[in-house]
Amino acid sequence: MMSVSTQDTAIRTGRVTRALIYLVLLLFGLFYLLPLYVMVVNSVKPLDEITGGGMMNLPRVFTLEPWAKAWSSAQIGVDPTGLQPYFWNSIKMVVPAVAISTVLGALNGYVLTKWRFRGDTILFGLMLFACFIPFQIVLIPMARMLGLMGLAGTTWGLVLVHVVYGIGFTTLYFRNYYAVFPTELIRAAQIDGAGFFQIFWRILLPSSGPIAVVSIIWQFTNIWNDFLFGASFAGADSQPMTVALNNLVQSSTGVKEYNVHFAGAILAALPTLLVYIVAGRYFVRGLMAGSVKG
């Protein structure tokens, strides 16, 4: 009888504890989502509703005009171009930078685990160390190199910067993922006459889906959200979305259009949000697989 009573008490206590945990998590979730709520709600309001002190209220008049203006006609610096051309600048920068850094990281991981050589551990340690170098330290040497290569102020210059800075991370991911890939398969392929790139493209790369997703999401998020490199190395015709968003907020024609600023901020953040919504679960799976394989 005592055992049954103790069990019932433990069950009730467990339910109360679980309810408290869920309540605390819900409060933290609401607190975390509050800025997003403010941005979304105020991006679909007329400006007079915001300036009238109703920032936290739902819109009395729903309008998408701030979104249209932020995209196509908002004042960006001295030109009323909106964010549209800078969005395509970011796309032209992000896609090749992510693709190149991911492929190079996969090749580096392949070499460091399956074609080992004297000093490979030291080389990997130096590449890993590069992951922790602050952005600010590389600004002057990178600007010097871009100038010597004739890539200063160009989209391809930004691509090079992000490839160089991201290759340490992608190498780390693929190296850990390939670390326990069966070396016997590599040796068997060599006996059958397969070369370096044949083994990579036909054996290793097809099995690298989970970690490739991790690398792509990581690189896409970091490159798309970067402001410092874009502000430092981009020219007037190659500025990415984050730099244009800053110029949008700083530009003024006499009235601060907060609804347009909120809409522009959401437009700038939308690609990374969509990437995480669509592929977030694969990101977690890839990290889990990498941790087991590493």
Side-chain angles (χ1 to χ4, degrees), residues 143-162:
R144 177 64 175 162
M145 291 303 300
L146 291 177
L148 292 174
M149 298 171 67
L151 295 176
T154 66
T155 299
W156 282 107
L158 289 174
V159 170
L160 177 62
V161 170
H162 288 295

Side-chain angles (χ1 to χ4, degrees), residues 54-65:
M55 182 171 285
M56 298 297 295
N57 301 332
L58 292 173
R60 293 192 298 271
V61 178
F62 181 87
T63 176
L64 291 177
E65 183 180 350

Side-chain angles (χ1 to χ4, degrees), residues 268-289:
L270 207 55
T272 51
L273 287 175
L274 291 176
V275 165
Y276 272 104
I277 290 172
V278 172
R281 56 179 178 175
Y282 301 107
F283 183 81
V284 176
R285 289 179 186 175
L287 287 178
M288 297 280 291

Side-chain angles (χ1 to χ4, degrees), residues 175-197:
R175 187 263 182 191
N176 288 345
Y177 192 82
Y178 291 154
V180 296
F181 188 89
T183 305
E184 292 77 10
L185 292 177
I186 308 299
R187 300 290 178 260
Q190 287 178 311
I191 292 173
D192 290 338
F196 178 88
F197 286 105

